[in-house]
Amino acid sequence: MPSLKIRVRRYKAEELEVGEVVLGVLRLKGEEEREASGNPLEVLLSTAEAEARGRRPDTDYYEVIVEDGETRRVLGEGPRYTWGRRLAFKPERLLRVGIVRRNALNPLVSAPPSEEELEEAELAEKLAGGESVGAYVFKLDDVEWHDVEGEVYVYEGTLALRDPETSNVALVILETESGRRYLRVSRASRKSKSSRTQQ
């Protein structure tokens, strides 16, 4: 039987305040590594079952990762983790958060574009160093970037504004180790009452 590398990563859910944006995130609380042998799928399931039975008060979500020489199997579970919308497809380390204000957004077009116009707009956007989201374009220079320190991860979580009535935040950019994710902000976003960590 091949030797298997097992990693168990444990996370605590919390809210992170970045500028005037409040994000539901996961903070890595600990990681264990060990080796085993056997059927990789059976080892994955038995490790996950043992983790679920040994519930820890400081763990809201955990991942079990089993690797042999060729394959990586991952199982994530959150017995007490029930936060909002999907911010990433798996827990991804958050490097920084970008905020784009409403006044920085420019309509891409006023009428549905032809294919030729769309190609020209994409080329102009690339040449201008901008980004487009939906039907809007903004300059990367207009993004307010906030670095995130520590082992903070995004997966499923809340996205709210501290003061949605007065805020002019239109987009939030989550930059992770895997790339960028653009999220529209609704004026209906409500601030949560649970504890927060400020950046």
Side-chain angles (χ1 to χ4, degrees):
M1 291 267 169
S3 177
L4 304 173
K5 180 180 175 185
I6 303 169
R7 279 191 300 150
V8 178
R9 297 167 59 91
R10 296 181 187 91
Y11 303 88
K12 182 76 177 163
E14 61 183 49
E15 285 188 335
L16 178 71
E17 236 179 79
V18 182
E20 56 191 283
V21 174
V22 181
L23 286 170
V25 298
L26 293 171
R27 187 169 297 274
L28 183 65
K29 298 308 265 184
E31 183 171 0
E32 290 177 14
E33 289 189 24
R34 62 183 181 271
E35 291 192 4
S37 61
N39 178 308
L41 190 54
E42 289 176 8
V43 170
L44 176 73
L45 294 174
S46 65
T47 305
E49 285 174 12
E51 192 66 25
R53 279 193 308 270
R55 285 190 180 175
R56 299 166 185 248
D58 67 339
T59 301
D60 293 314
Y61 185 85
Y62 63 85
E63 277 183 305
V64 177
I65 303 156
V66 175
E67 297 178 84
D68 57 21
E70 303 168 8
T71 308
R72 180 181 203 202
R73 294 164 181 84
V74 181
L75 178 66
E77 188 99 22
R80 291 186 303 272
Y81 180 63
T82 56
W83 285 34
R85 70 198 263 190
R86 175 146 307 167
L87 302 175
F89 294 106
K90 63 180 182 65
E92 294 180 5
R93 185 158 183 237
L94 185 60
L95 303 175
R96 61 184 185 160
V97 176
I99 295 174
V100 180
R101 308 245 174 227
R102 293 186 192 288
N103 58 355
L105 293 179
N106 297 306
L108 183 59
V109 289
S110 56
S114 67
E115 277 190 44
E116 185 177 301
E117 290 172 325
L118 192 55
E119 287 174 13
E120 286 175 14
E122 286 176 7
L123 177 60
E125 170 192 326
K126 285 179 185 171
L127 293 174
E131 293 277 336
S132 69
V133 176
Y136 294 94
V137 175
F138 60 91
K139 298 258 186 226
L140 291 175
D141 291 343
D142 292 332
V143 179
E144 299 167 24
W145 288 107
H146 300 267
D147 292 332
V148 175
E149 295 181 15
E151 293 288 322
V152 176
Y153 291 74
V154 288
Y155 178 41
E156 293 176 354
T158 55
L159 171 63
L161 299 172
R162 255 189 296 148
D163 188 359
E165 302 301 319
T166 61
S167 178
N168 68 345
V169 174
L171 294 171
V172 173
I173 305 169
L174 303 179
E175 186 168 283
T176 68
E177 292 177 324
S178 301
R180 289 183 180 162
R181 175 100 191 237
Y182 300 84
L183 304 168
R184 291 178 193 257
V185 177
S186 160
R187 284 200 178 270
S189 297
R190 297 274 177 239
K191 112 178 153 174
S192 174
K193 303 206 186 279
S194 58
S195 64
R196 296 201 177 105
T197 303
Q198 288 193 317
Q199 285 287 319

